[in-house]
Amino acid sequence: MCGNDGPVDGPVSNGTHPVQGNPTSSPYQNVNDFISNVNRFKIIESTLREGEQFANAFFDTAIKVRIAKALDNFGVDYIELTSPVSSPQSFEDCKTICGLGLKAKILTHVRCNMEDAKKAVECGVDGVDLVIGTSSFLQKYSHGKSIEMIQKTALEVINYVKSQGVEVRFSSEDSFRSDLVDLLTLYKAVDKAGVNRVGVADTVGGATPRMVYDLIRTLRGVVSCDIETHFHDDTGCAVANAHSALEAGATHIDTSVLGIGERNGITPLGALMARMVVTAPDYVTKKYNLKALKEVEELVASAVQVNIPFNNPITGFCAFTHKAGIHAKAILANPSTYEIIDPALFGLTRYISINSRITGWNAIRARCDQLGLKMTDDQVKEVTAKIKKMADIRPLAIDDTDSILHSYHMELQKKQEQEQQA
């Protein structure tokens, strides 16, 4: 188990949001048991390893350093780098980042062989992440080694890395399509050899949360070391799988910024934070610099020349936008009615959209107050009808709506003046 933070008792307020106070029968009620690590987990941030496998990625040394520092500022526990064996520049970049003096531990991800391990140790990393394919597909079409040979090689390499005073993780690749008996036998052997972590990888992204829970819960009963998990997002389950893994006893989650990686990538850092700040708000808000998330995502998005998706958790442009009249009314009264996450935790603000045919008069009332336009409820309802009528004809921008409000208010003032003169 990693960390010493126990489960939080009772409901916890999400920042400035009132306590949710869910009844015990609510589906949102957390179920904590002695094996769950949702309140004590660590992040292995792999943007500079898995992220380099993204189709658009080209990180020169300068951008790698900027990303590493940004991730360190956010508070990730580990930063994983591309194998130094990949290229001469990868070797030099690994040494450079190891020399930055970051708070996060620096790892590198290498094949499970002695040559790669020695090169990794030479870079000065804090930990070496060993990996080898264990499914029948990868045994046959990738490296051609039997499980017996994999275990023999793994134990030799693990003993070497440990002798150098460096952390070591052993991970299977394509874990969910591997034979369960082979997997557990292998994990038990490397655990006995003293690895810091064993890794479980959903390499092709085909696992479901139930599959993840069953495998991790079983593995938790076999090994005493920490359990790292790596989930690809080919079927859209990466975040749910990560959460399920923590519930089952996993201790470490691999992430990348915006989820970039091979094919559809892996568990996104921001999306995982969105999930975990709801599940374990006290732990997450104290451990991570959540207000730095937007800056990190914008940095990486720029580096790989993509836009942040409109529906990206937390930082998507409409993540905290409320449009429907019923929603807006409730949000203005109490944000917890339609927000499970307080945007202020991430240094962001909500936006009430008032430019559409479904705008409600309560939202227009709030905008009038912002603009300093005094109107009665009946007057606000009347001008809301004008806005809706225009929105039925064409899309409106905020300037259009404000113009309608100002014009209507001026008409009211003129009428009042005329009445006073009469």
Side-chain angles (χ1 to χ4, degrees):
M1 299 293 205
C2 65
N4 297 311
D5 297 272
V8 178
D9 294 326
V12 179
S13 172
N14 286 342
T16 59
H17 278 35
V19 172
Q20 293 291 329
N22 293 320
T24 56
S25 61
S26 168
Y28 280 173
Q29 191 73 18
N30 287 326
V31 179
N32 290 319
D33 58 29
F34 72 95
I35 210 165
S36 173
N37 283 320
V38 295
N39 284 298
R40 47 179 185 270
F41 61 91
K42 293 185 178 179
I43 292 175
I44 296 178
E45 226 302 317
S46 191
T47 300
L48 295 178
R49 196 281 294 177
E50 178 73 44
E52 278 215 282
Q53 297 172 222
F54 177 59
N56 278 13
F58 173 77
F59 300 146
D60 60 20
T61 305
I63 194 65
K64 284 185 180 181
V65 168
R66 287 182 64 193
I67 291 172
K69 288 181 176 179
L71 291 171
D72 192 52
N73 178 53
F74 180 81
V76 300
D77 304 276
Y78 296 85
I79 296 173
E80 186 180 58
L81 308 179
T82 295
S83 169
V85 180
S86 297
S87 73
Q89 191 58 52
S90 296
F91 177 75
E92 294 301 324
D93 289 345
C94 192
K95 290 198 299 182
T96 297
I97 293 174
C98 285
L100 293 176
L102 303 179
K103 297 184 293 294
K105 291 184 178 181
I106 307 302
L107 311 173
T108 189
H109 181 88
V110 301
R111 296 167 298 184
C112 188
N113 66 55
M114 195 65 75
E115 179 184 350
D116 283 22
K118 288 181 177 179
K119 200 74 171 176
V121 170
E122 187 181 342
C123 290
V125 293
D126 298 300
V128 177
D129 290 346
L130 305 173
V131 64
I132 190 167
T134 51
S135 69
S136 58
F137 295 98
L138 297 183
Q139 287 183 65
K140 182 176 181 180
Y141 297 109
S142 179
H143 52 72
K145 295 179 180 178
S146 66
I147 289 294
E148 292 74 22
M149 179 58 70
I150 290 172
Q151 180 172 318
K152 180 176 183 297
T153 304
L155 294 178
E156 291 172 355
V157 178
I158 288 165
N159 287 333
Y160 165 74
V161 175
K162 286 185 60 186
S163 73
Q164 302 302 303
V166 174
E167 277 190 26
V168 59
R169 176 218 72 187
F170 174 84
S171 179
S172 61
E173 188 181 19
D174 204 8
S175 309
F176 289 86
R177 296 194 297 177
S178 300
D179 181 84
L180 181 60
V181 174
D182 287 346
L183 267 187
L184 298 181
T185 301
L186 190 54
Y187 285 138
K188 189 173 183 178
V190 299
D191 180 44
K192 187 177 180 181
V195 295
N196 297 85
R197 299 183 305 284
V198 292
V200 173
D202 182 22
T203 306
V204 296
T208 66
R210 178 60 183 267
M211 294 174 188
V212 170
Y213 188 90
D214 287 348
L215 178 56
I216 300 300
R217 188 88 181 209
T218 300
L219 179 58
R220 182 72 282 169
V222 172
V223 299
S224 59
C225 63
D226 285 342
I227 300 174
E228 176 184 341
T229 54
H230 182 92
F231 298 109
H232 277 262
D233 206 26
D234 300 71
T235 59
C237 288
V239 174
N241 284 343
H243 188 272
S244 185
L246 292 175
E247 287 183 316
T251 55
H252 295 62
I253 303 293
D254 291 3
T255 69
S256 69
V257 177
L258 296 175
I260 63 170
E262 193 80 21
R263 305 184 313 280
N264 286 356
I266 63 170
T267 308
L269 174 63
L272 182 67
M273 288 295 97
R275 175 60 267 173
M276 300 314 298
V277 80
V278 175
T279 300
D282 191 57
Y283 178 75
V284 171
T285 54
K286 289 179 179 177
K287 184 173 176 60
Y288 298 107
N289 180 12
L290 300 181
K291 293 181 180 178
L293 178 65
K294 189 172 188 290
E295 180 183 352
V296 174
E297 292 194 341
E298 289 176 343
L299 172 62
V300 173
S302 175
V304 298
Q305 300 180 335
V306 299
N307 294 320
I308 294 175
F310 76 92
N311 60 344
N312 198 52
I314 309 299
T315 58
F317 85 86
C318 58
F320 297 104
T321 296
H322 303 274
K323 185 175 179 180
I326 295 174
H327 285 232
K329 178 184 179 182
I331 280 288
L332 290 167
N334 184 332
S336 287
T337 51
Y338 284 102
E339 285 179 357
I340 198 66
I341 298 170
D342 180 4
L345 293 175
F346 294 84
L348 303 172
T349 56
R350 70 185 55 85
Y351 174 69
I352 309 297
S353 176
I354 57 170
N355 311 314
S356 76
R357 63 181 62 159
I358 61 174
T359 294
W361 74 271
N362 288 280
I364 299 299
R365 158 65 73 196
R367 183 59 176 168
C368 289
D369 292 343
Q370 289 175 345
L371 296 174
L373 306 177
K374 294 182 179 180
M375 299 185 201
T376 65
D377 286 351
D378 286 340
Q379 290 167 343
V380 172
K381 291 175 182 178
E382 185 176 351
V383 75
T384 299
K386 292 178 179 293
I387 293 169
K388 286 174 173 283
K389 185 175 181 180
M390 183 62 72
D392 268 340
I393 299 171
R394 64 176 178 84
L396 299 181
I398 185 66
D399 289 344
D400 296 322
T401 302
D402 285 352
S403 179
I404 294 171
L405 293 176
H406 282 295
S407 296
Y408 181 81
H409 188 255
M410 287 179 64
E411 290 176 7
L412 291 178
Q413 288 181 317
K414 287 180 180 179
K415 287 181 180 179
Q416 289 174 357
E417 290 175 0
Q418 291 172 354
E419 289 173 357
Q420 289 173 356
Q421 291 174 358

